[in-house]
Amino acid sequence: MTGDSAIAEVLLPLALDGPYSYRAPAGLRLEPGAYVSVPLGPRQVTGVVWSLGSATATGRALRDVSAVNDMPPLSETHRKFVDWLAAYYLEPAGNVLRMVLRAPGALEGPREQIAWRAAGTVPKRMTPQRARVLEIAREGFALRAGELAEAAGVGVSVVKALARDGALEAVALPALRAFATPDPGAGGFALSADQQAAAEALRAVVAQRQHKVMLLDGVTGSGKTEVYFEAMAAALAAGGQVLLLLPEIALTPPFLARVERRFGAEPAAWHSGLRPRERERVWRGVAEGTARIVVGARSALFLPWKTLKLIVVDEEHESAYKQDDGVPYHARDMAVLYGSLGRFPVVLSSATPSLETLVNVDRGRYGVVRLRDRHGRPELPEIGLIDLKRASPEPGQWLSPPLVDEVRRTLAEGDQALLFLNRRGYAPLTLCRACGHRLECPQCAAALVEHRFRRQLMCHHCGHLEPMPPACPSCKAEGKMVPVGPGVERLAEEAALQFPEARIAVLSSDLARGTLLSDALRDVEEGRYNLVIGTQLVAKGHHFPHLTLVGVVDADLALESTDPRGAERTWALLAQVAGRAGRGAKPGRAMVQTYLPEHPLMQALRKGDRDAYFAQEKAIREQAGLPPYGRLAALVVSGPDGPDSERFARQLGHSAPLAEGVSVLGPAAAPIAMVRGRHRWRLLVKARREVNLQAYLRLWLKDVKPRGSLALQVDVDPYNFL
Ligand code: ADP
Ligand code: ZN
């Protein structure tokens, strides 16, 4: 019997639903939230003390906590956050904790502040594992033993043995650079009256030190960023940490520089591209409270906040806040949850707020501050619809005569035009004119997209690449493969014929992120190009002062999807793209090509009437019981074998409990029925708003165990319907 010795319940970053019990040896000072090292089988694992208690006489011999780290403990709010998030998304709490502990090295003590690099000598014994470690060690960066082992896919013992042999040499890691303390009053403009009123409203909310969500609503360029900076300044002045969440692609060096100018201190940045040592620096800085401002992508929510007092979610409508793999969570929604657990405000900023957020404003749950355009411009430029049924382009072309005329006129006047088409590559489909064979990805049930600049076919679902075949793979006919439909590259070809004088730039994510894209954007901004052809990449807040015409080549694309938010997304995207026109001195206009000019969305767009559009969309959603008026969860079954996956999905469907206010749709083959060689079946659970959807799912799934290579993914509040 263990008597009354202390017991630590330790949550481990593994797929476990709850903490494991360990004995706290006398002399170890443990507190809830402490980071500890505990034995698990033959390994030592880092976990977090979830709670402390005294031993009930179970008679079971518990193992001892091995060591405790001297980091400040993970706050109670953060631990609650992990538990709530896990319960909400039906995820093992340990998987959520793993997202918190995602900075390997950060918990290493002073003795581990060494890294290893290749010494240039050959070890006494060589194995394939050792060779892999040495290969990585020769690449130049000194890495910690753990990082080196992970990169090489071997155990740490291999690294240690190489070090003993003298094949690796130790170097001291440089100390982590300290964070400068921000000055809430450092930069900033003299705000306009509108901005001042909005900033005052947000500051007042921050001063209340309570949970409150505020929507900051205003077109791009209306000065929202400067306004939420004021809210951040107030939270900083009150001694708190602040988190500014951005969609990853908006997290650019110029934006970070802007934050630095405003607060006189470089903010901590958190995104997927950070080097291990920098991750460690930010993680520790957040845990210790020295990193006061973090500008981060969605996963920054999980950093071990010490005194978080404000979260700002910029571009709150962005679907990039939803993570689909791993733990599927929505960072905007979880930011609101965190604020309610931590009793602090959350600011949601957007030029095109999501319907969810607008409905929360309607219901009085969220507050709102609105900003008018600082230059007195209307919300949207003048928008004209082009009915493609009447003004059809020539066969094999996509620009209608009225749009061609408009572009010509714009270029002749010395202004810039933008043609928007949300499709990368040359053509979305290639088929054989002789036998009708379509080129498809071998791993996915999806057409391969031709990328002519790269001379390759690409699968947009798994990244598979292959060269264009010289003959049809099916009937062997030569020279019969034809592209079907346009991508931006093909549109550029058409534009070059129509506007031979134009200086054309094609902007899509194929330019990758790095300098290519930022150079191209700068060249457009400075007017070196006068005709821009781009995907949604150009819709995101870039400021092109010479742009006066936006042509939307295919406005119907997103409307055709099975996504219940398809129309809402179309609205946001078209409003954003149209809004690129006329941001400089001259007014702008947009022309939208559509086969559905009578569609209420197109009509509302033409009138620039957002309220009318959302009123319509709310009615549709309410009628259909879709979010935010009802709740959804998607269950996706996948497996390497088609019939197996289908059988399991059907059994799953049959075992769905009957419940008032819940309906289960499907299973049906997913719209993309195979991805990366896995056959996919979907079920959709639709529930009324008052239903406890999680309880229903738990009841249903408690005994469901996909066998072998079958997998079941549960996606609460899904955004992906493919
Ligand atoms: P939004 O976040 O709504 O897109 P920003 O805050 O980025 O708008 O403002 C758009 C541009 O106007 C930025 O270049 C910003 O520096 C500038 N700006 C914003 N507010 C002011 C102000 N009060 N005085 C001068 N320039 C301002
Ligand atoms: Zn594929």
Side-chain angles (χ1 to χ4, degrees), residues 440-448 458-464 674-677:
E440 289 203 344
C441 175
Q443 294 292 316
C444 307
L448 288 170
M458 187 198 287
C459 171
H460 285 184
H461 300 284
C462 73
H464 168 84
M674 183 170 79
V675 173
R676 292 174 204 272

Side-chain angles (χ1 to χ4, degrees), residues 30-247:
L30 288 184
E31 56 185 322
Y35 300 90
V36 291
S37 178
V38 295
L40 184 75
R43 292 189 291 157
Q44 286 289 320
V45 182
T46 298
V48 175
V49 175
W50 229 237
S51 60
L52 289 172
S54 52
T56 45
T58 57
R60 195 157 47 94
L62 295 178
R63 300 173 81 179
D64 281 0
V65 172
S66 324
V68 57
N69 197 284
D70 65 359
M71 278 307 246
L74 191 64
S75 74
E76 188 184 350
T77 303
H78 211 86
R79 296 192 317 267
K80 274 197 206 151
F81 176 60
V82 169
D83 283 336
W84 273 78
L85 191 142
Y88 189 87
Y89 292 113
L90 280 86
E91 239 347 283
N95 280 354
V96 181
L97 182 66
R98 186 164 359 155
M99 301 201 287
V100 176
L101 297 180
R102 213 166 260 165
L107 289 162
E108 307 276 14
R111 263 191 303 136
E112 284 85 20
Q113 300 304 320
I114 49 169
W116 299 93
R117 67 169 175 229
T121 60
V122 182
K124 290 181 217 121
R125 202 161 58 83
M126 194 56 122
T127 64
Q129 291 193 328
R130 290 180 163 210
R132 275 208 302 282
V133 171
L134 286 176
E135 195 179 315
I136 289 163
R138 280 193 214 104
E139 278 170 13
F141 297 111
L143 293 172
R144 277 214 175 80
E147 289 157 10
L148 193 51
E150 195 183 316
V154 305
V156 180
S157 58
V158 180
V159 175
K160 296 214 167 128
L162 280 170
R164 270 197 308 276
D165 274 11
L168 291 174
E169 65 186 1
V171 285
L173 282 169
L176 294 172
R177 203 156 44 85
F179 290 94
T181 307
D183 170 3
F189 298 96
L191 298 184
S192 69
D194 241 27
Q195 282 176 313
Q196 266 181 36
E200 199 40 59
L202 296 187
R203 273 195 295 262
V205 170
V206 171
Q208 300 215 321
R209 297 170 173 246
Q210 281 174 10
H211 179 53
K212 172 88 189 165
V213 182
M214 295 294 287
L215 168 64
L216 176 56
D217 179 2
V219 291
T220 308
S222 57
K224 297 185 296 300
T225 308
E226 295 302 323
V227 170
Y228 69 60
F229 280 172
E230 296 303 306
M232 289 165 65
L236 290 168
Q241 290 173 296
V242 299
L243 168 59
L244 169 51
L245 283 178
L246 295 176

Side-chain angles (χ1 to χ4, degrees), residues 323-334:
Q323 171 158 304
D324 281 331
D325 45 1
V327 177
Y329 68 94
H330 198 298
R332 180 210 42 216
D333 298 348
M334 292 304 107

